[in-house]
Amino acid sequence: MTAPAAGLALIRLLQLASPTLPVGAYTYSQGLEWAVETGVIRDEASAGRWIGDLLAHGIGRYEAPLVAALIAAWNAGDGPEITRLNAEFLASRESAELRAETAQMGFSLARLVRDLRDPALTEVARVLAGLPELAFPTGWAGIAAAWQIDPEAAVGAYLWSWAENQVMAALKAVPLGQASGQRLLASLGAGIPATAAAALALPESRWSNFTPAFAIACTRHETQYSRLFRS
């Protein structure tokens, strides 16, 4: 890849990982709000433990390697594999809110693909339109592949975007100050390159999203009386 092309890929990656991406990610906490309600998360340290553990043992060991596999499938033009991985992710959602979240964000991302009017995304738009229900990682990986973003950089940015959204939720729900948020992001970010590299090398037989506390938090949030977030 030439220097100008590599530079453009970086800019496109920043766009794809930006919190301004109009998919509604900021409206979800993925159970973090329930953890705050019950006192499991109550300050900067406990927020860091919750988000960091989930990043290392859940998102990093299932969602991240799945995104890497999806990017490979998109690059290979392997429609059946894209469809299979999309269905796998939808089936992995352990609560109604989590499934609704990825489907809503996937729907919004598919609409964005059309609205961008980028010829490089024409095939992505066609494939996404053929899926009966779209998981967010499937569309995100398709855009990353079409924009020729390095897979390891893409997975790292995906993890960063997830961590940033979790920290933003903690800032609102605990609440925490801006300096606390930046300390959390600095700490979480330091581990993301290694997590991304491990995700690319992790065979599917070793993927795991066994995070019982996360699943319980997401399920309990569905009946939480007072809440800011949709999950």
Side-chain angles (χ1 to χ4, degrees):
M1 185 180 293
T2 64
L8 179 58
L10 173 60
I11 296 303
R12 291 288 184 252
L13 180 57
L14 293 173
Q15 180 180 359
L16 192 53
S18 170
T20 64
L21 197 72
V23 295
Y26 69 94
T27 64
Y28 299 101
S29 82
Q30 297 195 346
L32 183 145
E33 186 175 26
W34 182 83
V36 172
E37 175 74 11
T38 58
V40 173
I41 296 177
R42 57 194 175 277
D43 53 22
E44 180 182 333
S46 53
R49 284 192 298 272
W50 177 274
I51 300 169
D53 285 350
L54 189 53
L55 179 64
H57 304 296
I59 306 301
R61 290 187 57 81
Y62 183 77
E63 203 160 331
L66 181 134
V67 168
L70 277 165
I71 291 173
W74 279 105
N75 281 328
D78 191 342
E81 180 69 354
I82 294 168
T83 300
R84 182 185 75 83
L85 291 168
N86 181 72
E88 287 284 340
F89 188 76
L90 288 168
S92 75
R93 301 301 82 193
E94 296 168 304
S95 73
E97 284 186 351
L98 279 180
R99 187 182 178 100
E101 173 184 339
T102 198
Q104 178 273 304
M105 289 175 61
F107 175 84
S108 297
L109 193 62
R111 182 173 59 190
L112 176 64
V113 168
R114 298 192 301 270
D115 291 346
L116 283 173
R117 302 172 187 172
D118 183 347
L121 299 177
T122 300
E123 180 62 12
V124 176
R126 185 192 69 77
V127 173
L128 297 185
L131 294 171
E133 188 173 23
L134 175 63
F136 175 71
T138 305
W140 197 96
I143 299 173
W147 281 348
Q148 300 180 23
I149 296 168
D150 173 75
E152 188 167 342
V155 172
Y158 186 92
L159 291 170
W160 169 261
S161 182
W162 176 86
E164 184 177 35
N165 195 66
Q166 286 285 285
V167 169
M168 289 171 64
L171 260 62
K172 297 172 186 175
V174 174
L176 299 174
Q178 293 296 327
S180 291
Q182 290 304 307
R183 284 192 295 269
L184 285 171
L185 286 172
S187 177
L188 293 164
I192 284 178
T195 302
L200 264 73
L202 194 67
E204 188 170 353
S205 61
R206 294 182 57 196
W207 294 3
S208 174
N209 66 338
F210 182 67
T211 48
F214 172 66
I216 291 169
C218 292
T219 302
R220 291 292 182 86
H221 185 269
E222 293 176 0
T223 57
Q224 187 170 321
Y225 175 71
S226 177
R227 53 186 181 169
L228 296 171
F229 298 96
R230 298 169 67 182
S231 75

